[in-house]
Amino acid sequence: METLMVDRVHGSLRLFMHRNAVFLCERLCAQFPSETNVQLLATCYLHNNQPYAAYHILKGKKLPESRYLFAMSCFRMNLLREAEDTLCPVNEPNIEVPNGATGHYLLGMIYRCTGRMSAAAEQFTQALTLDPLLWAAYEELCILGVAEDADECFSEATALRLQQEHASTSALEKSNFANENRILSSSLPSSLGDIIPNQMKQLHANNTAEVPGYPHARATALRVQNSTTSNVAQFDTPSPAATQTSSIVPPPLFRNVHAYQTTISGDAPTKQKANGANQPLRRKYLDEARLKKVSGRLFNQSSDSMPRRSARLSRETTINSNSNSNLSQFGGNGTDHSSGSRYEVIDEMWTDNVPATSSTASTTEGRFFEQDKAERIMSQESKVAIGIRELLGLLRTLGEGFRLSCLFKCQEALEVFRKLPESQFNTGWVLCQVGKAYFELVDYLEADHYFELAHRLSPCTLDGMDIYSTVLYHLNAEMRLSYLAQELISIDRLSPQAWCAVGNCFALRKDHETALKNFQRAVQLDSRFAYAHTLCGHEYSALEDYENSLKFYRCALQVDERHYNAWYGLGVVYLRQEKFEFAEHHFRRAFQINPRSSVLMCYLGMALHSLKRNEEALDMMEKAIAADKKNPLPKYQKALILSGLQKYAEALEELERLKEIAPHESSMYALMGKIYRQLNILDKAVFCFGIALDLKPPAADLAIIKSAMEKVHLPDELMDDDL
């Protein structure tokens, strides 16, 4: 009963019938309350999204599997301290973490959630050491920014180790199987050894009569079964040679009937099968006795190409027995004289009727069998080795691309991803990674292309769709963004990515309060989703609620310390509050995480300029321009710094270059007007101010530009330095 119930529980879990599994397993534990069954019930509860129930029944259990399941229940309930104490008891420092690699991975996740990043990295590394194919551990190391090169992690040494582990596992399974067979054989009744030989001899006699074209076999079968002729099918009339004597032993059994029928003469007699009912029983005893079959190669040899062993064995048997009564009628070329048919067979089944010289043939056949078996094993091991190397090669490429992407080396990551075969590249995960890389490179058109392709190929994949919605936000694609948000909500209303897309849709319409509500909904659904916290901070910053903005940015950093967007948001808030030292600190932290971002370089330069560190600011602006020549912001800020240093000619040159890539920026023309006013070129100053007003600047800048335009002809001492 217990075995049956356990099997049904596992079957229900395999078929995702979680409620049924819970019910059956509760009955199982009531009837058989062992800790193993309690572990199975806890597994059912976890599958059924009931971690609290698993927590209740596993509390206080000491077996390793119970400790792992209890820790998993605590982790899902956010009881991180209790989960850690279960995996690593304080009073037992030398106890091993349960469940090997997965146990270390769970402990690493606990350390990461509690802000102990170095300890988390150690656990993820240990998990990857125990199981090199545990991709989740390598992924976490990449997110933490401490992963080693994929070439080292998924190296040739790893392949050899996996191959050895597979070989040892296979050998252990074979050993266990052999032990089970030996135990099964020893449990057979002792009388079976006496029963089987007699039954096998009877089967031999019965089945010899089944071979067409053997008159001796038919005659012998009739003599053996003369008392039970009613149960035997009718035979053809035996030939005269068979009726002359009763001491003739039948020739070797031809077991390959189809092969024989191709060699016998056309006038060979045909008959119905005899003793057909004995065939299943005969096959059963053949399997149990593990009798050797005749090699197929013997039947395929030409009769004239080489001497036949059947003829040789017949001659040796003739010499040893000195009697022709125990021989089948063979000629020198293997011809049956009584029927005129030719065949090439050896019967190695009935060893008690075969002379001692047949052991040579058996040894030869055994050698061939062992050789074939060894070749099959080597072929299988070769296939396993090739498969392991192919898998590690794929993980090597994917891992290196993901590692470079997490280090924000986006161009290198794109080059690695392009090495993937087409079947792997055109998958949702890879295309989203490519889209994210282009997003970090501020190439929103290419990012849009790959995200759209990923969404088309895998429409139900939600990972990365939050970034896709931000791409559409930057492209001002309001209609497409609205459609994406509705589609994601229809797929899964409980996913934070869907509500981030809805929030971006309202943010694009400048409805910051509604956008904020949607971002907060995403945070409620998944408090570990760092990007949702950051988007909330952006909306509070747009509403000039800097206190709440700082709060959400810090929450994002508690979830992911390397989330540079939150560091950037903190820097922007402090820059607006004119806390320039704080701003410079947070921009620098963001820059250390993502050292290739032109935007971060520009804002760091702005903070340095506000701190009157103009030379450092100019150097940072030069780096920002070199990092992204299409970004207009660092060019404008560089011109602004040069203008403050009274390097007006250089500032105008930079603005002229800026005009080529951003000809509709009102702030650029306003700065040019100010420079021309300082150079006392008043007509050009008025012209630039007029263009700036025509480009409809923001309301905050509109009054400043009008005031500067009205004061163009005033003396310098009456001018306000508002621009």
Side-chain angles (χ1 to χ4, degrees):
M1 177 180 175
E2 181 179 11
T3 303
L4 177 62
M5 295 182 72
V6 170
D7 180 68
R8 296 309 302 159
V9 170
H10 284 294
S12 297
L13 291 177
R14 285 194 302 270
L15 297 175
F16 306 100
M17 299 291 293
H18 298 150
R19 290 180 57 191
N20 188 65
V22 168
F23 177 81
L24 291 177
C25 205
E26 286 176 346
R27 308 285 75 74
L28 173 66
C29 290
Q31 188 73 23
F32 308 100
S34 65
E35 186 166 344
T36 303
N37 292 337
V38 172
Q39 294 170 2
L40 182 58
L41 179 58
T43 303
C44 296
Y45 282 141
L46 290 173
H47 279 286
N48 202 38
N49 198 24
Q50 295 177 270
Y52 45 87
Y55 173 90
H56 175 72
I57 64 174
L58 289 172
K59 193 173 181 63
K61 304 295 183 182
K62 297 299 183 182
L63 289 181
E65 182 68 20
S66 300
R67 289 167 50 215
Y68 175 79
L69 293 173
F70 183 75
M72 180 61 71
S73 304
C74 294
F75 182 77
R76 291 194 181 182
M77 298 169 65
N78 205 29
L79 302 175
L80 302 181
R81 174 60 64 183
E82 196 166 356
E84 180 183 350
D85 291 340
T86 302
L87 294 175
C88 296
V90 179
N91 55 352
E92 300 180 46
N94 296 326
I95 192 171
E96 292 184 359
V97 177
N99 263 37
T102 53
H104 285 283
Y105 173 78
L106 178 58
L107 186 58
M109 291 299 298
I110 294 171
Y111 286 149
R112 184 188 169 199
C113 292
T114 52
R116 291 170 285 178
M117 301 304 173
S118 59
E122 291 179 3
Q123 294 301 320
F124 292 138
T125 303
Q126 182 67 20
L128 203 59
T129 301
L130 295 174
D131 184 4
L133 299 182
L134 188 59
W135 167 260
Y138 187 78
E139 190 176 39
E140 291 296 331
L141 288 172
C142 292
I143 293 173
L144 293 176
V146 295
E148 62 180 354
D149 291 349
D151 291 338
E152 298 179 5
C153 184
F154 307 106
S155 62
E156 185 67 23
T158 304
L160 293 175
R161 173 188 161 194
L162 289 174
Q163 188 175 350
Q164 292 173 356
E165 290 178 357
H166 182 273
S168 61
T169 303
S170 300
L172 181 61
E173 291 176 353
K174 292 178 181 178
S175 176
N176 293 337
F177 181 75
N179 292 336
E180 292 175 0
N181 287 344
R182 187 158 50 251
I183 294 173
L184 181 62
S185 301
S186 63
S187 63
L188 293 175
S190 58
S191 59
L192 190 62
D194 300 329
I195 296 173
I196 291 178
N198 295 330
Q199 291 176 337
M200 295 293 283
K201 291 178 181 179
Q202 179 67 29
L203 283 172
H204 175 247
N206 293 344
N207 287 283
T208 304
E210 299 179 16
V211 183
Y214 287 103
H216 296 297
R218 289 196 296 272
T220 305
L222 286 172
R223 286 194 300 274
V224 172
Q225 300 186 26
N226 55 9
S227 63
T228 57
T229 54
S230 61
N231 296 328
V232 181
Q234 294 298 323
F235 291 86
D236 295 334
T237 304
S239 63
T243 58
Q244 292 176 357
T245 177
S246 61
S247 61
I248 298 177
V249 177
L253 176 64
F254 194 106
R255 289 196 298 258
N256 194 338
V257 176
H258 296 288
Y260 169 73
Q261 288 175 347
T262 61
T263 60
I264 61 175
S265 61
D267 58 348
T270 60
K271 64 176 185 64
Q272 298 178 350
K273 287 186 178 180
N275 296 329
N278 290 333
Q279 289 300 316
L281 184 62
R282 177 173 180 264
R283 281 194 296 269
K284 175 182 177 183
Y285 287 122
L286 288 176
D287 291 337
E288 290 180 352
R290 306 223 172 144
L291 300 172
K292 295 188 175 87
K293 295 183 179 181
V294 180
S295 173
R297 290 187 294 272
L298 296 176
F299 297 113
N300 295 329
Q301 292 172 355
S302 173
S303 60
D304 298 327
S305 60
M306 59 182 299
R308 282 186 288 276
R309 284 193 296 166
S310 57
R312 175 175 57 80
L313 290 175
S314 299
R315 288 192 296 271
E316 291 175 355
T317 305
T318 303
I319 296 173
N320 293 333
S321 62
N322 294 321
S323 175
N324 292 332
S325 62
N326 293 331
L327 294 176
S328 57
Q329 301 300 317
F330 282 87
N333 57 357
T335 304
D336 186 349
H337 296 289
S338 63
S339 62
S341 302
R342 301 170 63 193
Y343 55 89
E344 304 171 11
V345 293
I346 302 175
D347 188 359
E348 296 178 355
M349 185 185 301
W350 316 110
T351 56
D352 51 352
N353 291 332
V354 178
T357 53
S358 65
S359 62
T360 304
S362 299
T363 304
T364 305
E365 293 302 321
R367 190 182 305 113
F368 286 147
F369 177 77
E370 293 297 332
Q371 183 177 355
D372 292 342
K373 181 179 178 181
E375 291 177 356
R376 287 195 300 271
I377 294 175
M378 291 179 63
S379 176
Q380 184 67 23
E381 292 178 352
S382 177
K383 290 180 180 179
V384 169
I386 293 173
I388 289 174
R389 283 175 171 80
E390 289 178 351
L391 176 58
L392 289 179
L394 176 61
L395 293 180
R396 193 179 303 122
T397 304
L398 293 172
E400 185 65 12
F402 186 72
R403 184 185 73 87
L404 293 172
S405 180
C406 290
L407 294 176
F408 303 101
K409 298 179 179 179
C410 300
Q411 200 62 49
E412 293 90 331
L414 290 173
E415 294 176 359
V416 173
F417 283 129
R418 289 192 185 100
K419 297 178 182 178
L420 288 169
E422 184 178 357
S423 59
Q424 291 291 335
F425 185 85
N426 291 325
T427 56
W429 187 86
V430 174
L431 292 173
C432 281
Q433 295 301 320
V434 174
K436 287 179 183 179
Y438 279 114
F439 171 75
E440 296 296 343
L441 292 172
V442 201
D443 191 346
Y444 297 129
L445 291 176
E446 284 295 316
D448 175 31
H449 168 71
Y450 284 101
F451 274 121
E452 182 183 11
L453 184 58
H455 187 58
R456 191 186 312 143
L457 290 175
S458 184
C460 293
T461 298
L462 300 180
D463 290 340
M465 292 298 102
D466 50 325
I467 304 296
Y468 184 26
S469 67
T470 303
V471 170
L472 297 177
Y473 170 87
H474 285 293
L475 292 174
N476 293 316
E478 183 177 351
M479 185 177 67
R480 293 178 58 202
L481 178 56
S482 177
Y483 180 77
L484 175 66
Q486 293 179 13
E487 192 175 11
L488 296 179
I489 288 293
S490 66
I491 293 173
D492 187 1
R493 294 182 61 86
L494 300 180
S495 66
Q497 294 89 347
W499 291 103
C500 285
V502 176
N504 276 328
C505 187
F506 284 102
L508 185 58
R509 300 174 184 174
K510 307 300 180 183
D511 188 353
H512 298 296
E513 293 182 355
T514 307
L516 181 60
K517 291 179 181 179
N518 288 285
F519 292 141
Q520 288 174 334
R521 173 65 172 158
V523 170
Q524 290 173 353
L525 290 170
D526 187 359
S527 60
R528 304 292 305 170
F529 197 66
Y531 194 49
H533 290 281
T534 300
L535 291 174
C536 287
H538 290 341
E539 294 307 308
Y540 275 118
S541 182
L543 294 171
E544 297 184 357
D545 186 351
Y546 297 129
E547 183 178 354
N548 281 318
S549 179
L550 293 174
K551 173 185 173 182
F552 274 93
Y553 286 139
R554 287 168 182 150
C555 288
L557 292 176
Q558 289 178 356
V559 175
D560 184 4
E561 191 179 14
R562 297 187 73 249
H563 189 61
Y564 78 91
N565 305 78
W567 291 106
Y568 161 80
L570 288 170
V572 171
V573 170
Y574 287 125
L575 190 64
R576 291 179 181 177
Q577 292 178 339
E578 297 185 356
K579 298 178 180 179
F580 302 125
E581 292 183 354
F582 287 127
E584 188 264 339
H585 168 74
H586 288 87
F587 284 136
R588 195 171 293 280
R589 287 294 301 270
F591 177 67
Q592 290 173 352
I593 297 171
N594 185 0
R596 302 193 179 190
S597 173
S598 175
V599 176
L600 293 179
M601 295 177 191
C602 182
Y603 273 89
L604 179 56
M606 291 166 62
L608 293 172
H609 174 56
S610 300
L611 291 171
K612 308 301 181 183
R613 294 157 62 179
N614 294 320
E615 294 300 326
E616 295 180 46
L618 281 176
D619 290 340
M620 193 57 64
M621 293 302 173
E622 290 289 350
K623 292 180 180 179
I625 294 171
D628 185 6
K629 293 181 172 58
K630 296 180 181 180
N631 187 3
L633 185 59
K635 293 180 180 292
Y636 174 80
Q637 291 296 329
K638 179 182 178 182
L640 188 62
I641 296 172
L642 291 173
S643 175
L645 295 175
Q646 297 183 355
K647 298 180 180 180
Y648 299 121
E650 296 180 24
L652 286 174
E653 290 178 3
E654 196 64 44
L655 290 173
E656 288 295 334
R657 287 192 287 268
L658 175 60
K659 189 190 298 185
E660 296 176 0
I661 62 174
H664 303 294
E665 287 290 334
S666 61
S667 58
M668 175 189 65
Y669 287 101
L671 181 56
M672 292 178 71
K674 177 184 176 182
I675 293 174
Y676 283 125
R677 172 67 183 81
Q678 295 294 332
L679 294 174
N680 202 25
I681 307 176
L682 302 182
D683 53 344
K684 287 188 176 183
V686 172
F687 176 75
C688 290
F689 284 136
I691 295 177
L693 291 174
D694 292 339
L695 292 173
K696 298 180 181 181
D701 296 337
L702 182 61
I704 297 175
I705 295 174
K706 284 184 177 180
S707 176
M709 187 175 181
E710 293 172 355
K711 297 177 181 180
V712 167
H713 298 285
L714 293 178
D716 293 342
E717 59 270 12
L718 299 178
M719 288 288 295
D720 296 330
D721 193 13
D722 293 331
L723 291 175

